[in-house]
């Protein structure tokens, strides 16, 4: 990595830290069981807020109402409206329950007085218990042997996409050819695999790392739906939008270590497609499981 690329990577990760640094709003709420925070968005060329960003900020907002050692283990959220990167986002956190081992929170993210995301999350103290996990796929190339996603996408071919990817705080290395290029979708590929990590050192804070993994979990999870139907991101008339997102953390994570994202699609129906993913550490530990349903439609081009 050149000095210029290294500086850009560090700046992107620093920007992620900035957007996760929410400010608590100090005013008397209608209910003492609700806490309010405000945050801002990262750049995105189309002007829409990246869904993974809002998920991550909701994790931070909810965690701010809990002891630092009670960490998130699951979330379930619905994307309600497209967000505007030029507008601040307000987060309202409802304290639903605090038990001896578990806590539950509901978070609503608002812009211009309307919710753009509604999310429920559960937190737990670190405890012993039964343990098993799926195994990481074998026989895949190492991350260093896979091209970076930007290598697939030329500035002249797709300047908007490449501009967005250059400002993302994660390095992504697909194992299969990227669907951002034309003519590479293959319905025989039941799974797709990508190595990813923060593009520079991220830090040790377990809450920030969990939130950053939520951010990255929104990368390309609906692509297996496209592969099943021989579509790419360049297919004329393609319309894709995330509808909901669910995630379960199984272990603490370090997002500046290489991780493998294994993604597949169990079903598509009625203009909706379901993506399912598992995130593994490079040593094979299953770190998280993710599911997302999205609107996937191909409109006839006049």
């Amino acid at each position: 990595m050149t000095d210029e690329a290294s500086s850009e990577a560090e700046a992107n990760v620093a920007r992620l830290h900035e957007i996760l640094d929410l400010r608590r709003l100090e005013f008397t709420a209608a209910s003492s069981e609700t806490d309010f925070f405000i945050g801002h968005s990262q750049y995105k060329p189309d002007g829409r807020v990246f869904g993974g960003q809002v998920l991550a900020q909701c994790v931070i907002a909810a965690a701010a109402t809990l002891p630092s050692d009670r960490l998130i283990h699951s979330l379930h959220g619905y994307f309600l409206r497209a967000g505007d990167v030029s507008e601040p986002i307000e987060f309202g956190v409802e304290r639903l329950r605090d038990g001896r081992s578990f806590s539950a929170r509901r978070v609503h993210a608002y812009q211009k007085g309307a919710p753009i995301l509604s999310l429920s999350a559960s937190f737990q103290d670190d405890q012993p218990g039964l343990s098993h996990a799926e195994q990481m796929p074998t026989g895949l190339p190492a991350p260093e042997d896979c091209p970076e996603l930007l290598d697939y996408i030329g500035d002249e071919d797709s300047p908007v996409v490449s501009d967005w990817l250059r400002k993302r705080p994660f390095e992504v290395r697909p194992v299969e050819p990227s669907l951002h290029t034309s003519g590479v979708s293959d319905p025989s590929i039941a799974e797709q695999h990508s190595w990813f990590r923060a593009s520079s050192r991220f830090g040790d804070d377990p809450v920030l790392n969990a939130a950053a993994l939520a951010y990255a979990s929104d990368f390309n999870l609906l692509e297996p739906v496209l592969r099943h139907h021989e579509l790419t991101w360049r297919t004329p008339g393609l319309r894709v939008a995330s509808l909901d997102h669910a995630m379960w953390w199984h272990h603490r994570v370090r997002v500046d270590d290489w991780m493998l994202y294994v993604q597949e699609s169990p079903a598509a129906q009625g203009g909706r497609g379901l993506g399912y993913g598992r995130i593994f550490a490079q040593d094979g530990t299953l770190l998280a499981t993710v599911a997302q349903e999205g609107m996937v439609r191909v409109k006839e081009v006049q």
Side-chain angles (χ1 to χ4, degrees):
M1 184 181 291
T2 65
D3 290 344
E4 181 180 357
S6 178
S7 296
E8 184 177 42
E10 291 175 3
N12 291 342
V13 169
R15 178 59 178 152
L16 178 57
H17 276 280
E18 288 175 9
I19 67 171
L20 295 180
D21 186 18
L22 305 182
R23 178 168 61 88
R24 185 185 291 269
L25 296 178
E26 301 293 346
F27 60 83
T28 303
S31 168
S32 60
E33 296 301 312
T34 304
D35 301 82
F36 291 93
F37 303 83
I38 196 164
H40 298 276
S41 296
Q42 70 179 114
Y43 164 86
K44 196 159 171 279
D46 62 6
R48 293 189 169 198
V49 175
F50 173 52
Q53 173 205 302
V54 190
L55 291 170
Q57 289 172 316
C58 285
V59 171
I60 294 295
T65 68
L66 289 159
S68 60
D69 56 353
R70 184 163 286 195
L71 298 177
I72 191 167
H73 71 87
S74 69
L75 66 76
H76 302 261
Y78 286 90
F79 297 105
L80 303 176
R81 293 173 176 83
D84 182 346
V85 296
S86 67
E87 296 286 334
I89 306 174
E90 185 176 306
F91 300 88
V93 182
E94 297 177 52
R95 304 187 184 207
L96 299 180
R97 182 177 184 273
D98 287 308
R100 287 183 296 178
S101 301
F102 291 88
S103 291
R105 297 291 185 266
R106 181 181 293 121
V107 187
H108 293 103
Y110 298 94
Q111 280 190 328
K112 301 176 183 178
I116 63 172
L117 176 69
S118 178
L119 178 146
S120 295
S122 184
F123 296 74
Q124 183 190 11
D125 294 337
D126 190 17
Q127 295 177 320
L130 301 176
S131 180
H132 74 272
E134 291 185 69
Q135 300 298 303
M136 185 169 75
T138 58
L140 297 174
E144 296 82 3
D145 297 326
C146 297
E148 219 282 335
L149 183 54
L150 273 166
D151 296 338
Y152 282 110
I153 304 166
D155 288 345
E156 295 181 1
D157 292 336
S158 188
V160 172
V161 174
S162 62
D163 191 27
W164 160 233
L165 294 178
R166 278 195 169 81
K167 291 179 172 61
R168 289 201 310 193
F170 279 83
E171 179 181 0
V172 179
R173 293 180 173 265
V175 174
E176 293 81 18
S178 167
L179 295 192
H180 285 285
T181 56
S182 59
V184 299
S185 187
D186 184 350
S188 68
I189 298 175
E191 293 182 337
Q192 71 173 23
H193 312 81
S194 294
W195 293 101
F196 71 103
R197 66 178 177 183
S199 51
S200 70
R201 178 170 170 77
F202 188 78
D204 301 328
D205 188 298
V207 174
L208 287 173
N209 275 271
L213 192 64
Y215 175 104
S217 72
D218 197 26
F219 292 161
N220 306 325
L221 190 49
L222 296 176
E223 279 195 355
V225 179
L226 306 186
R227 290 190 186 275
H228 270 281
H229 298 275
E230 299 185 75
L231 304 173
T232 76
W233 291 111
R234 298 190 183 188
T235 298
L238 178 66
R239 299 291 184 270
V240 178
S242 302
L243 297 173
D244 63 13
H245 197 94
M247 185 170 181
W248 298 263
W249 287 258
H250 310 305
H251 290 277
R252 296 192 182 194
V253 300
R254 280 291 306 253
V255 296
D256 46 15
D257 291 335
W258 281 116
M259 295 167 283
L260 179 70
Y261 205 167
V262 180
Q263 300 169 325
E264 58 188 293
S265 175
Q269 179 67 33
R272 306 183 319 276
L274 180 63
Y276 168 71
R278 290 151 291 161
I279 299 174
F280 294 90
Q282 196 167 11
D283 67 3
T285 302
L286 180 62
L287 299 174
T289 302
V290 190
Q292 182 180 98
E293 190 171 49
M295 181 198 76
V296 183
R297 295 174 179 162
V298 181
K299 294 188 175 182
E300 186 175 342
V301 178
Q302 302 297 325

